[in-house]
Amino acid sequence: MFATILRDPDAAKKLLDAIADSPTGRRSISRLARTCKAICEPALDVLWRELDSLLPLVALFPNNLLKRTRRPGLGLASHSSHPEDWDRLLEYGKRASSVISPAVFATISDHSPQLIWKVENTAALEASTLFMNPELQSLVLEIGHRVPKLDAYLSKVCSLTQLTAFSFTSPTTLPQNFTDLLRSQNTLEKLSLVAPGALSRQIGHWAASLPALHSLELDLTGRSVIAVEGFFDDIIPSGANTPSDTTSNSSILSGDEIDFTEIRKSSLRLTGDLRNGGVFADLQHVALTGETANIAVFLKHITSQLTSLELVIEDPPEMTDWQDLSFIICDHFGGSLRSLRITATGSSRFSELVRSTSRAGDPTILTSLACLVRLEIDLPESTLFRDEDLQCLAKACPNLEMLKLCPMARFSATSGPGLSLEGASVLTTNCRRLHTLWLVIDARRGSEETLASLEVSSRSLLRLHVGHSAVSDPLHTTILLSHLAPHLEILKWFHEKNRPGFVEAHALGWQKVSDWLPHLQDVRLMERARVAAMEKPKVVTKDQSVDATDKRTYVNKFAHVRPKTSERATQSTPSLVDRMTQVKPDLLSVFVDATPRCVETQVDATPQVCHKSVGAEPMKADAGVDATPPTVKRQDDIHHDEKPSPFFHRYDFHAIPSVFPTVFGLLAFTYRIFLTYPLAIPKHVLDKSLSMLHAEKANGDEPSRESHELQDSSSCSTTTELLDRDIPPVCL
């Protein structure tokens, strides 16, 4: 799912921002960062971008540095001298772009380019100096209550920073030396002052002297027209200080004399003789809040080519003041203004926005804004738009790309919206670049003239938000909408049942329109493509005769021609402009993940075991051997007479037994050669033949029983083995 979203970083960022704005969005973003590695970095950037407390940063402190881990307000036990102890804090701290917290800590380092500090007391305001550093570029201060000694705080801030954007909102009056304290901040590009004393002449002169200022925001609520004029007193060019001069210094008057400077200025304003000069030449964006008359007076003094204008006025405004404001906008900034936003103040917004008031703001007064690209008018208590107003806007702003006309408006059941879907066809006809449209309409059936015209069809309109619009016939509304915007991609309306002004019948009708619209758009485009292919350009022919008669005329005249010469000298002096440019190198920190990749692979090293059985049964043979010893009559048994013999007397009887074995061996050898061997050889051949016969029988799966018997018996031997033994011969 996230692989497709991450292909477009802007789409991923908008999706994460939408999740973060939900009630449990930060918890969902945190879980998402821990779940998917691919979307971890964008999710962490959104999660740490704006902090409402310093506790997430303090939780990253090393535990051995704090006196008590659970009470970081007690400070640090010791200051760490190892930079690596703060790596984890700096790694996540660089993602934080704004911190809103009144907590005070002893030591902390912050390198965020923007700081938003909202406080309610002096102690919390002093704590913001911990974040002041030369790298800080934008500072937004919002003070809820009156804070004393504001000049000392501003002096310390200016000594530690060099800002490009400064915003100050407070009920406390600005110090008298406010311009002297901020004199060193000469690189300011954006300035916003919403505090008493912001319209003084000193601040006006200081703001006009800023060379790089291109955005200015002021609050004119509750101020008089003379106070607004006083903002430009010191920056209006004037002559020498004379007693009759309106800009003479009142300080030269004595204490008893009365200063008539303001009285003379007021009289000159009434007669129109007050001289005005060009101020804020490089200003491009202006945001003003207050009464319509004060805003008109302020814009009358601006001579720069504004490109963006944001006005927050009291609703409903006075009709004459609204006309003056519209005339000044079209006359002074009609050729350069690209974005115009007019909304109502918070005090003029009521809980019930049902249109029951009279018509006050008239958008038809905007006559010529040729370069206007974006127009937003949201005056819910006064402005009621009609189809005639759309015609005037289409003629005055032909290059509109985004138009919002009271998108949150809701009406009662009796009085519906004054705009119709068919009336929006003038915008699709004249504003060919219009791609986003927000308005509340009454969707009715379109006329035949509108459905038959192809000029009302827009190729650029892609997004339409109808809010609490009414719809009675979803089918005919879908047909008309597919004709006006055949390439429309997004159609939105309010479908929340708990939203005030919700009508279930209208919500169900717009749901049907959203379901049917893609199918009718495909049919429209297919039919138009086929008609365009069938149409062929026709060749226009015309017969015409031409007189080709040659006429010649001869005239004799003498003419004296002398070239006319003239001498002219031009002296050109280049205009030199001194401009200071501050160059700051863009620093980019890149972290490379050099963690080696480890791959675990399992190898099956189990040895292969094969079981085989071999028949090793010994061969057995039964053979009978006659082991009866023969009876031999030995000479030892012969009894000799006890008579002495001459033989016995002559020889020793102990030598006689040694002679007998030798004789018996010779007899046994003779017996083996001549009697036993001739009989044993045929017996041995017979045994070999029988063993071969048993081996051929045992070639099958089961071994021969005879072979087992022949080989298992160790006590029984073959005939040959018996013959090989030494058997004593038997004398027969």
Side-chain angles (χ1 to χ4, degrees):
M1 176 182 67
F2 294 107
T4 305
I5 298 176
L6 290 177
R7 293 176 184 174
D8 189 356
D10 296 336
K13 183 176 180 299
K14 291 180 180 179
L15 176 62
L16 294 175
D17 291 341
I19 297 176
D21 294 338
S22 60
T24 58
R26 300 184 68 85
R27 182 178 300 177
S28 301
I29 294 293
S30 177
R31 293 175 178 175
L32 190 61
R34 297 193 301 266
T35 303
C36 180
K37 292 184 179 180
I39 208 169
C40 178
E41 292 297 327
L44 289 177
D45 292 339
V46 174
L47 186 64
W48 288 81
R49 181 177 55 193
E50 183 176 350
L51 301 178
D52 54 358
S53 173
L54 293 177
L55 293 180
L57 293 175
V58 177
L60 301 176
F61 280 27
N63 295 332
N64 56 350
L65 300 181
L66 298 175
K67 292 182 178 179
R68 295 186 64 179
T69 305
R70 297 185 179 274
R71 300 184 63 184
L74 298 178
L76 302 177
S78 61
H79 296 283
S80 175
S81 59
H82 302 287
E84 58 271 10
D85 294 341
W86 303 95
D87 290 345
R88 188 181 178 189
L89 173 64
L90 296 177
E91 180 181 357
Y92 287 92
K94 67 181 181 180
R95 303 178 187 271
S97 60
S98 60
V99 180
I100 306 171
S101 176
V104 180
F105 296 98
T107 305
I108 195 169
S109 178
D110 182 80
H111 300 281
S112 174
Q114 182 182 9
L115 177 62
I116 302 176
W117 200 259
K118 300 180 181 180
V119 296
E120 298 292 338
N121 49 47
T122 306
L125 182 63
E126 293 294 336
S128 64
T129 57
L130 296 175
F131 300 91
M132 302 301 172
N133 57 82
E135 298 180 3
L136 188 65
Q137 299 179 3
S138 177
L139 176 61
V140 179
L141 295 177
E142 296 184 11
I143 304 175
H145 300 280
R146 296 183 179 272
V147 177
K149 298 181 181 180
L150 190 59
D151 50 353
Y153 170 77
L154 293 176
S155 177
K156 186 175 182 179
V157 170
C158 295
S159 62
L160 297 175
T161 61
Q162 190 68 30
L163 303 174
T164 59
F166 178 69
S167 177
F168 184 83
T169 303
S170 173
T172 306
T173 305
L174 294 178
Q176 294 292 335
N177 58 345
F178 179 80
T179 56
D180 297 334
L181 295 175
L182 271 73
R183 190 71 64 182
S184 60
Q185 303 292 335
N186 55 0
T187 59
L188 285 177
E189 299 178 0
K190 297 180 180 180
L191 178 63
S192 176
L193 297 176
V194 183
L199 293 180
S200 64
R201 65 179 65 183
Q202 294 84 3
I203 293 180
H205 179 71
W206 168 71
S209 64
L210 296 174
L213 186 66
H214 62 77
S215 178
L216 179 63
E217 181 179 357
L218 295 174
D219 188 6
L220 311 179
T221 305
R223 308 304 299 273
S224 63
V225 177
I226 296 178
V228 177
E229 291 280 1
F231 183 79
F232 300 92
D233 285 348
D234 289 351
I235 55 179
I236 294 178
S238 61
N241 291 336
T242 60
S244 61
D245 192 5
T246 59
T247 59
S248 60
N249 192 358
S250 61
S251 62
I252 63 176
L253 301 176
S254 61
D256 298 334
E257 297 179 358
I258 301 176
D259 187 8
F260 294 95
T261 303
E262 295 296 333
I263 300 176
R264 286 195 297 269
K265 288 182 180 180
S266 300
S267 61
L268 290 176
R269 292 190 188 99
L270 294 175
T271 58
D273 296 332
L274 185 64
R275 292 172 295 176
N276 295 329
V279 294
F280 297 106
D282 297 331
L283 202 60
Q284 298 179 2
H285 172 76
V286 173
L288 301 175
T289 303
E291 293 79 7
T292 308
N294 293 342
I295 294 176
V297 171
F298 189 92
L299 292 178
K300 185 175 60 176
H301 293 84
I302 304 297
T303 58
S304 61
Q305 300 297 320
L306 295 181
T307 59
S308 178
L309 184 60
E310 295 184 11
L311 305 178
V312 183
I313 65 177
E314 296 292 339
D315 188 27
E318 295 292 337
M319 190 62 185
T320 55
D321 297 337
W322 176 261
Q323 292 178 355
D324 294 341
L325 178 62
S326 302
F327 175 77
I328 292 174
I329 292 175
C330 296
D331 185 50
H332 287 65
F333 318 112
S336 61
L337 195 62
R338 296 180 59 84
S339 176
L340 176 60
R341 184 181 181 185
I342 303 176
T343 58
T345 58
S347 59
S348 61
R349 291 181 179 269
F350 302 97
S351 58
E352 295 184 359
L353 302 181
V354 178
R355 302 310 177 90
S356 59
T357 57
S358 60
R359 181 182 176 90
D362 190 359
T364 59
I365 302 177
L366 300 176
T367 56
S368 177
L369 294 172
C371 298
L372 193 64
V373 175
R374 179 171 182 172
L375 176 61
E376 296 184 25
I377 300 178
D378 190 6
L379 302 176
E381 289 298 320
S382 62
T383 305
L384 296 175
F385 293 98
R386 301 186 181 92
D387 292 342
E388 295 79 8
D389 300 330
L390 297 183
Q391 295 179 1
C392 297
L393 287 177
K395 294 179 181 179
C397 313
N399 294 320
L400 273 179
E401 297 181 4
M402 181 180 294
L403 178 61
K404 293 184 179 182
L405 301 178
C406 298
M408 305 296 177
R410 55 190 178 92
F411 299 85
S412 61
T414 57
S415 61
L419 296 176
S420 62
L421 182 59
E422 186 176 1
S425 60
V426 295
L427 296 175
T428 59
T429 303
N430 299 323
C431 304
R432 309 305 297 183
R433 299 180 180 178
L434 185 65
H435 58 77
T436 303
L437 183 60
W438 293 54
L439 74 171
V440 182
I441 59 177
D442 185 7
R444 297 187 296 268
R445 185 172 183 175
S447 61
E448 295 181 359
E449 292 80 5
T450 303
L451 294 175
S453 177
L454 292 177
E455 295 180 356
V456 299
S457 181
S458 175
R459 296 181 58 88
S460 60
L461 187 58
L462 301 176
R463 290 172 287 274
L464 177 62
H465 197 294
V466 294
H468 291 291
S469 298
V471 55
S472 56
D473 192 347
L475 178 59
H476 287 88
T477 302
T478 308
I479 294 174
L480 179 58
L481 187 58
S482 64
H483 180 66
L484 297 178
H487 299 277
L488 189 67
E489 296 178 356
I490 299 176
L491 176 62
K492 292 186 178 181
W493 66 95
F494 292 139
H495 53 81
E496 296 87 354
K497 294 184 179 181
N498 57 351
R499 179 182 288 272
F502 173 79
V503 180
E504 187 175 2
H506 297 334
L508 294 177
W510 285 112
Q511 182 63 45
K512 293 180 181 179
V513 173
S514 178
D515 296 338
W516 297 340
L517 183 60
H519 305 288
L520 290 181
Q521 285 178 335
D522 296 339
V523 174
R524 292 277 187 188
L525 296 177
M526 182 178 62
E527 290 177 350
R528 293 178 183 180
R530 182 169 297 180
V531 171
M534 293 176 59
E535 292 181 354
K536 295 182 179 179
K538 298 181 180 180
V539 179
V540 180
T541 59
K542 184 178 180 181
D543 296 336
Q544 186 176 357
S545 60
V546 179
D547 187 7
T549 305
D550 186 11
K551 295 182 179 181
R552 298 181 181 181
T553 303
Y554 297 94
V555 178
N556 295 325
K557 288 185 178 182
F558 175 76
H560 181 68
V561 180
R562 178 180 295 177
K564 186 178 180 180
T565 60
S566 62
E567 296 180 359
R568 181 176 298 177
T570 303
Q571 182 179 3
S572 61
T573 303
S575 299
L576 304 179
V577 178
D578 295 336
R579 180 170 296 180
M580 179 178 62
T581 304
Q582 183 178 5
V583 180
K584 294 182 179 180
D586 295 335
L587 304 179
L588 179 63
S589 300
V590 179
F591 294 87
V592 179
D593 187 4
T595 305
R597 297 181 58 186
C598 299
V599 180
E600 297 181 359
T601 304
Q602 297 181 354
V603 179
D604 188 5
T606 305
Q608 295 184 358
V609 180
C610 181
H611 296 278
K612 292 185 179 180
S613 60
V614 179
E617 299 178 359
M619 296 177 64
K620 299 179 180 180
D622 296 334
V625 178
D626 188 7
T628 304
T631 57
V632 179
K633 189 177 180 179
R634 301 180 61 182
Q635 292 180 4
D636 296 337
D637 296 336
I638 300 173
H639 298 278
H640 299 279
D641 295 334
E642 293 180 359
K643 294 180 178 181
S645 175
F647 177 80
F648 291 104
H649 290 280
R650 191 175 181 180
Y651 301 97
D652 190 3
F653 288 98
H654 294 287
I656 296 174
S658 61
V659 178
F660 287 114
T662 305
V663 176
F664 289 150
L666 292 176
L667 294 177
F669 179 74
T670 305
Y671 175 79
R672 288 179 184 177
I673 293 175
F674 294 101
L675 182 62
T676 305
Y677 282 172
L679 295 176
I681 291 175
K683 180 65 176 177
H684 183 68
V685 174
L686 180 61
D687 291 340
K688 289 294 183 180
S689 301
L690 292 177
S691 63
M692 292 177 62
L693 180 60
H694 288 301
E696 290 178 1
K697 261 186 179 182
N699 286 336
D701 295 334
E702 298 182 356
S704 176
R705 182 177 300 177
E706 296 179 1
S707 62
H708 286 287
E709 295 176 355
L710 291 174
Q711 295 182 6
D712 287 344
S713 179
S714 59
S715 61
C716 299
S717 302
T718 59
T719 308
T720 307
E721 293 176 355
L722 295 176
L723 295 177
D724 291 337
R725 294 181 180 178
D726 293 337
I727 300 175
V730 179
C731 298
L732 297 178

